[in-house]
Amino acid sequence: MASIRFGLLGTLRVTCEDREIRLGGARQRAVLALLLLRHGRTVSVDELAETVWDGSPPPTARTQISICVAQLRKLFREAGVEGEVIVTSHPGYRLDTEGHGLDLVDFLSLTGQVSALAGSGRPAEAADAYRRALALWRGPALDGLPGYALEQEACWLEEQRLTALDGHAELRLALGRHQELTAELAALVREHPLRERTRHSLMLAQYRSGRRADALETFRTGHQLIVDELGLEPGTALRELHNAVLREDPAIAAPTTVPESFAAVAPAVPAAPVTDQEPQDREPRDQPQDQPHGRPQDQPETSPTDSPGGAPADRRPTLSLAPSDLPPNIPSFTGRSGETEVLDALLDGRPDGAPPRVALVTGVAGIGKTALAVHWSHRAAASFPDGCLHVDLGSALATPGEVLGRLLRSLGADDRLPEGEASRISLYRRLLRGRRVLLVLDDASSFAQVAPLLPANGGCCVVVTSRENMDELVLRHGAVRVPLGVLDHADSTALLDRIVTGGRTAGSPAQTARLAELCDGLPLALCIAAARLATRPHWTVRRLADRLADEHRRLDELSIGGSRVRASFELSHGCLSPRLASVYRRLSLLDVPDVPAWAVAALLDCPVETAEQYLDELTDAHLLEVSGPDATGQYRYRFQSLLRLYARERAQEDPDRPAAEAARDRALHSWLTVAEAAHRREYGGDHSVVHGPAPRPHVDRDLLDDLLARPLDWFDSERHCLVAAVTQSARLGLAALAWDLAASTVGFCEIRSNTDDWRRLCEEGLAASRTAGDRQGEGVMLGELGAALLYRGESEASVRLLEEADAVLRAGGEVYGAALNACKLAVVVRQRGDAGAARALLDGALPALRAAGDLSAQAHALNNLAQITLDAGDSQEAVRLGREAVALARGLGATRGAAQAFHRLGRALLAAGRLPEAEEALTEAAGIVRAKHDRLGMAYVLLGLAEARLRAGRAERADEDLAAAFALAEETGSTVLLGRLHLLRVEIEEARAPGAELPQEA
């Protein structure tokens, strides 16, 4: 039987018995490539379509995919292959490679053998396995196949090739083949200049070939490139190899024998003298606890500079040269002017006996802590004539004693270092006594790690960078805290401009701003994005911004040689306790812009105090931001957008996804609990709203009292979250929650004249109801959407929706909902000139409203009847109806319904010429709306008061009311009200003219 050989490691290639099978067009090749990449696994038709059409498949995609598969099967049969190579497997297809060959499978098999071969003492065979694997490559993987998905696969394959090249080089170095490697590695470094592992091998090969100067130059050029392109320091391994080359460390010399195991293959570079371990609580003392070398306790410790003859023990050691091992400055450093000023304050001198000046730079990984510390250290170096020291405390595992050893050597103490840690602390502090030295302790993980390294005198200055808040450092050593947040818009775009040359960012300011926003102002993300543009001169800024716009791709795109942004976040996430990490992941499941502690308590099903503790811990870890308090006194917590994406990725790995999703749904439902209570307090009861069967989680009564002391303040604080909660509920198929929460919220949107949110809430609730077949929700949302459009002046669309709502509600037997809808329809019918139809709608609705005990809706209906009567010229009947509405509304308390009733009564009294009574009623309304901060309601009341006072002959006072009403109307954007105010202004000006008569009500 003929067999096929497939090739992915280069251009897509298919051969049968050494004869090439010619493939069809790009779609056919893309389908085959994806099936080969997933060999042995089913690929859905949807995934094939997404890949072939790069995320935008046409309606005929499924048909065209089946045509491509049929054509491929035909090609294989014509080549003499028996059986199906491409098997139909629901929900798509699977490529069966049994009996056939695939270069990718061979490559992965060979590279997978390396560890076992090297580990069993056969490094030469391991190197040969790498050689044979790399020989399978014919060029760039998947060369010539377009589309994002295949491009990402090609990047992964290229990374596998480069990893194999690096591993092969390291094995050959361990086998002593450094001479043959230098030219090969130099070419590879030129092709991939930011790949540190390859540069490491080249430096080692050059050094072992007797080219020490070339090895140092390879480091120097790489260091400069990494700093220029990324604004980052090279990794620990590269820096430590550089130090080893400088001191000609025997550990990196060429091997004299072939290593016996894989453990000997990796380059032997001494570990940096730093630690991630936290030593036990031992406060440094001037006298050591142990007695190294058997020295008696009362014998003074000998300093490293004491002569063998026994110089005085109290002689202070001298520094022959001022040490400086700061990393190079950051050319692309941008912004941070405020933080730099805080650090500049450390330069104020202190007496030698005072404690050292200490700053603690904190923030999430990738925020630029090291960059600020290094930049400022170079700026301030002239103020420290005795040296500047830098220690990377997060780069490797080492004891505090080893860190002190490195610092002591930097300070000139090269000989006879004390063995004990306490002795080294004592010597270290003696060496610094009277000196002005700057010490940068970078990436510290704990106070215990930093404490032994603090100098004892005020001439020295210490800058600590950490993801931890280190309260002990602040409390015990007076450290000045310098918290770092994301860069603002101006600094973000400036950073991109600095790294991307050629005016590409300046030439596309809008897209550059968009790119900066997508990078969240995070310096690491900005540097990586800029580096991608800098190394791809054919890319436009828009192209990269478009790629980042897809949230599913963003963290993958922000990577160079590995997912750096994701990896940096992992550092912070990895420090969380399992419970706190679970809280962090579950928080990300809520699609809200920020979240208060009470909603988090619902999410976690715990007391609010416990939720606040979790939130504070996540804020301390710089994984959340806090703002507030809001108008209700609550602090609000939010993710940066990139951190939210990372947390959601981790949430997908939650071992108990059903519990996590149940927690998310419980939190969403808690907004309904509070929104319903807010509506009830604002309307004096559960009035003017239809509710559905969605569950209401319990919220503590005392908490509700605190949150809803002023319901409108709660709405103002929670508005964006309410819209987001309705939107997410609709997307999740929680239709009953979506429409009920929308119905409980739209009344506040009306009060605040927020028609955009009002409309969106109703549209989301309506779509969810229709998808779920929830006729009750559909009817309610149609009516509320009709009211929103009426408020926006779209009367024709409003009538159409309200009439459709009436039909749906009546068909479902929703009598109360139909009555509420009739009141809305009456308003628009009256405005369109059909007073009789409006009166009939209101008269028909009142019995159902009375049966439901809805005082607010009854008062609203009577108010509208009063207006219809007033329009007909019967002011006395309007007054009667107005008083009836006020009587009902008084039973509700100081609600908006009561304010509307008093306002309508005041207008009727004004029309009847009963000016003192009219002013009294309008003043009652003013008191209610003023207390509620109802700006639009206050503007209407002021309009009525201005008219009443003008007709009473008090034009000056009327003018004051009118000016205040104008300001509020302009603030709320009510064009209808502004028109009425302009007309009244003309009347007032005419009334104030000499000899003018006061206007009379018609």
Side-chain angles (χ1 to χ4, degrees):
M1 182 181 75
S3 63
I4 299 177
R5 176 75 180 169
F6 296 101
L8 288 173
L9 306 181
T11 56
L12 179 62
R13 184 179 180 186
V14 184
T15 58
C16 181
E17 306 298 336
D18 295 328
R19 300 188 314 276
E20 184 168 353
I21 297 177
R22 290 192 169 276
L23 298 171
R27 293 173 188 168
Q28 189 182 109
R29 298 168 71 84
V31 167
L32 179 58
L34 190 59
L35 290 171
L36 287 168
L37 287 163
R38 307 284 192 272
H39 58 275
R41 289 178 289 160
T42 298
V43 184
S44 71
V45 174
D46 288 341
E47 184 180 359
L48 287 165
E50 287 285 320
T51 300
V52 169
W53 282 278
D54 203 16
S56 301
T60 60
R62 300 180 70 87
T63 301
Q64 294 191 53
I65 292 295
S66 65
I67 292 172
C68 288
V69 170
Q71 291 171 338
L72 287 168
R73 287 170 170 168
K74 181 181 178 183
L75 286 174
F76 299 153
R77 285 196 301 271
E78 290 175 348
V81 178
E82 297 179 7
E84 290 290 0
V85 179
I86 302 177
V87 180
T88 300
S89 175
H90 183 77
Y93 302 95
R94 184 184 76 252
L95 192 141
D96 187 357
T97 57
E98 186 175 356
H100 306 288
L102 174 58
D103 57 6
L104 174 59
V105 171
D106 297 340
F107 173 80
L108 295 175
S109 174
L110 286 166
T111 55
Q113 297 171 21
V114 169
S115 294
L117 289 170
S120 61
R122 295 183 287 172
E125 293 179 48
D128 188 61
Y130 266 141
R131 179 190 61 76
R132 286 184 288 134
L134 290 164
L136 294 169
W137 285 75
R138 296 170 286 107
L142 305 176
D143 194 20
L145 290 175
Y148 176 80
L150 293 178
E151 182 182 332
Q152 292 297 101
E153 296 287 352
C155 289
W156 178 81
L157 290 170
E158 176 65 8
E159 182 63 28
Q160 303 309 303
R161 184 182 77 89
L162 293 173
T163 299
L165 283 168
D166 286 330
H168 192 209
E170 288 164 2
L171 278 166
R172 292 159 70 192
L173 283 168
L175 291 166
R177 299 174 186 169
H178 39 271
Q179 294 281 3
E180 68 186 45
L181 268 170
T182 51
E184 179 182 326
L185 285 170
L188 196 57
V189 165
R190 285 194 296 273
E191 187 179 353
H192 302 279
L194 296 174
R195 194 169 181 86
E196 295 186 18
R197 187 178 175 189
T198 311
R199 189 174 294 274
H200 186 286
S201 293
L202 174 58
M203 287 177 61
L204 199 55
Q206 290 170 327
Y207 177 78
R208 290 178 177 178
S209 299
R211 298 164 56 185
R212 180 168 175 262
D214 289 343
L216 293 172
E217 177 62 18
T218 296
F219 175 82
R220 188 194 67 78
T221 56
H223 180 280
Q224 191 64 45
L225 182 68
I226 293 168
V227 169
D228 287 349
E229 295 289 345
L230 305 181
L232 303 171
E233 282 296 306
T236 303
L238 206 60
R239 298 201 310 271
E240 290 301 314
L241 177 58
H242 175 250
N243 293 337
V245 170
L246 284 173
R247 61 178 182 269
E248 300 188 57
D249 194 321
I252 61 171
T256 55
T257 58
V258 175
E260 296 182 356
S261 70
F262 188 74
V265 170
V269 181
V274 289
T275 180
D276 285 339
Q277 300 170 345
E278 296 189 5
Q280 298 300 314
D281 184 18
R282 51 181 186 280
E283 183 67 13
R285 291 182 286 274
D286 288 337
Q287 294 299 323
Q289 293 176 310
D290 56 351
Q291 316 303 326
H293 311 299
R295 176 167 47 85
Q297 186 169 350
D298 59 350
Q299 179 178 334
E301 178 180 310
T302 304
S303 79
T305 55
D306 287 341
S307 66
D314 61 350
R315 189 184 73 189
R316 187 176 66 203
T318 59
L319 306 180
S320 55
L321 292 173
S324 180
D325 58 3
L326 292 175
N329 206 343
I330 314 295
S332 60
F333 185 86
T334 305
R336 306 298 191 199
S337 57
E339 292 86 351
T340 302
E341 289 178 6
V342 173
L343 292 173
D344 284 343
L346 299 177
L347 299 178
D348 297 338
R350 289 189 184 181
D352 192 48
R357 295 152 292 169
V358 182
L360 174 62
V361 182
T362 61
V364 72
I367 203 68
K369 301 182 294 295
T370 298
L372 174 63
V374 170
H375 172 77
W376 182 81
S377 297
H378 280 279
R379 168 189 172 111
S383 299
F384 300 96
D386 296 314
C388 299
L389 305 177
H390 176 274
V391 181
D392 183 355
L393 294 177
S395 61
L397 293 175
T399 66
E402 289 175 309
V403 179
L404 285 162
R406 176 178 174 182
L407 289 170
L408 288 168
R409 290 187 185 94
S410 294
L411 291 168
D414 291 324
D415 302 320
R416 300 194 312 279
L417 289 181
E419 292 296 326
E421 181 182 313
S423 298
R424 289 189 174 189
I425 292 172
S426 178
L427 175 59
Y428 169 68
R429 290 178 174 166
R430 287 172 55 204
L431 281 171
L432 291 176
R433 193 173 299 149
R435 308 291 180 188
R436 290 180 59 81
V437 173
L438 172 63
L439 176 64
V440 180
L441 302 177
D442 201 11
D443 200 14
S445 62
S446 68
F447 174 71
Q449 191 183 26
V450 168
L453 309 179
L454 296 175
N457 68 297
C460 292
C461 179
V462 183
V463 177
V464 181
T465 74
S466 179
R467 295 185 301 277
E468 303 296 326
N469 277 339
M470 287 199 198
D471 291 339
E472 285 181 281
L473 189 64
V474 176
L475 294 173
R476 297 171 63 174
H477 294 274
V480 176
R481 200 185 299 275
V482 187
L484 293 188
V486 297
L487 297 177
D488 62 21
H489 170 74
D491 286 339
S492 295
T493 54
L495 178 55
L496 292 170
D497 289 341
R498 283 192 161 193
I499 299 175
V500 183
T501 57
R504 290 159 66 196
T505 52
S508 302
Q511 292 301 324
T512 301
R514 179 175 169 231
L515 181 61
E517 182 178 353
L518 289 167
C519 289
D520 216 17
L522 186 73
L524 175 60
L526 290 163
C527 287
I528 291 173
R532 294 202 71 183
L533 285 173
T535 56
R536 292 166 176 80
H538 59 288
W539 277 19
T540 62
V541 180
R542 179 173 185 169
R543 178 174 180 179
L544 180 56
D546 286 345
R547 295 169 76 103
L548 294 186
D550 186 340
E551 289 189 351
H552 299 292
R553 301 178 180 179
R554 194 174 305 163
L555 289 178
D556 290 329
E557 292 287 350
L558 292 173
S559 61
I560 293 181
S563 295
R564 298 284 183 90
V565 169
R566 185 182 287 110
S568 71
F569 292 161
E570 180 61 36
L571 293 174
S572 295
H573 181 267
C575 295
L576 301 178
S577 67
R579 175 56 177 160
L580 196 59
S582 175
V583 171
Y584 180 62
R585 293 192 298 269
R586 292 187 179 188
L587 266 176
S588 71
L589 297 178
L590 292 172
D591 289 340
V592 292
D594 55 26
V595 66
W598 64 263
V600 179
L603 176 80
L604 305 177
D605 197 17
C606 69
V608 174
E609 295 76 16
T610 303
E612 287 174 339
Q613 180 180 342
Y614 287 137
L615 291 166
D616 288 341
E617 289 179 29
L618 289 171
T619 303
D620 288 344
H622 308 288
L623 293 172
L624 291 178
E625 295 177 337
V626 62
S627 63
D630 61 22
T632 68
Q634 299 286 307
Y635 286 91
R636 307 190 71 84
Y637 300 82
R638 65 177 290 272
F639 284 94
Q640 294 172 10
S641 61
L642 291 175
L643 278 166
R644 184 191 293 275
L645 294 178
Y646 171 76
R648 283 183 178 168
E649 283 188 354
R650 300 308 303 260
Q652 300 306 310
E653 305 164 10
D654 195 316
D656 194 356
R657 283 286 298 280
E661 290 170 358
R664 173 203 63 202
D665 294 351
R666 185 172 57 245
L668 290 172
H669 281 86
S670 72
W671 266 288
L672 175 57
T673 302
V674 184
E676 185 177 17
H679 177 96
R680 191 179 299 117
R681 296 186 185 212
E682 181 64 26
Y683 283 80
D686 217 7
H687 301 313
S688 303
V689 63
V690 176
H691 290 302
R696 275 86 165 151
H698 173 73
V699 176
D700 183 76
R701 178 75 183 188
D702 291 340
L703 174 61
L704 285 176
D705 288 341
D706 289 341
L707 290 175
L708 304 178
R710 294 156 66 109
L712 280 172
D713 285 350
W714 176 81
F715 170 75
D716 291 339
S717 301
E718 213 66 45
R719 176 170 62 87
H720 295 299
C721 284
L722 289 166
V723 175
V726 169
T727 302
Q728 184 176 12
S729 300
R731 180 173 55 80
L732 292 172
L734 302 172
L737 171 60
W739 74 257
D740 202 337
L741 181 54
S744 299
T745 303
V746 293
F748 293 103
C749 294
E750 180 182 4
I751 294 171
R752 288 296 191 234
S753 304
N754 188 341
T755 58
D756 290 338
D757 285 346
W758 187 353
R759 181 172 189 167
R760 182 178 174 187
L761 286 164
C762 296
E763 288 174 343
E764 294 285 358
L766 178 59
S769 299
R770 283 176 166 166
T771 300
D774 186 334
R775 296 287 282 173
Q776 182 189 31
E778 180 182 1
V780 172
M781 288 293 95
L782 282 168
E784 296 294 356
L785 182 56
L789 296 185
L790 170 62
Y791 204 95
R792 294 165 66 99
E794 302 175 32
S795 61
E796 289 187 12
S798 174
V799 168
R800 186 168 60 252
L801 288 167
L802 289 166
E803 288 177 344
E804 185 179 355
D806 182 70
V808 172
L809 291 167
R810 291 186 185 281
E814 181 59 67
V815 177
Y816 172 59
L820 291 176
N821 189 74
C823 292
K824 300 181 179 73
L825 185 57
V827 175
V828 66
V829 167
R830 179 181 64 79
Q831 289 183 358
R832 290 163 67 89
D834 194 344
R839 183 186 295 276
L841 284 166
L842 293 167
D843 287 338
L846 276 169
L849 300 178
R850 292 190 182 107
D854 189 340
L855 300 181
S856 179
Q858 290 177 60
H860 179 69
L862 290 168
N863 283 337
N864 282 312
L865 283 171
Q867 186 61 53
I868 292 170
T869 305
L870 193 60
D871 291 342
D874 190 348
S875 59
Q876 295 304 321
E877 176 63 9
V879 169
R880 187 191 68 78
L881 289 167
R883 291 199 185 282
E884 187 178 347
V886 165
L888 288 171
R890 283 187 187 277
L892 302 174
T895 65
R896 184 168 185 263
Q900 289 175 329
F902 277 113
H903 177 257
R904 188 70 66 194
L905 175 60
R907 300 297 311 190
L909 289 165
L910 183 61
R914 296 155 69 172
L915 301 182
E917 293 175 78
E919 188 171 347
E920 181 182 353
L922 291 166
T923 301
E924 288 274 1
I928 296 173
V929 294
R930 183 181 295 110
K932 292 183 176 299
H933 300 280
D934 181 353
R935 297 183 296 276
L936 184 61
M938 191 66 193
Y940 271 105
V941 172
L942 286 169
L943 170 62
L945 284 169
E947 290 183 27
R949 286 160 179 166
L950 175 62
R951 282 154 182 72
R954 295 150 62 194
E956 293 294 335
R957 181 64 187 276
D959 200 25
E960 293 174 10
D961 294 331
L962 185 64
F966 259 115
L968 290 169
E970 289 171 352
E971 184 181 336
T972 57
S974 175
T975 54
V976 174
L977 178 58
L978 282 169
R980 292 182 61 181
L981 291 170
H982 279 293
L983 290 174
L984 184 59
R985 170 165 285 170
V986 172
E987 288 188 40
I988 292 175
E989 290 174 353
E990 291 175 350
R992 295 172 68 178
E997 293 184 4
L998 290 178
Q1000 299 298 317
E1001 189 72 35

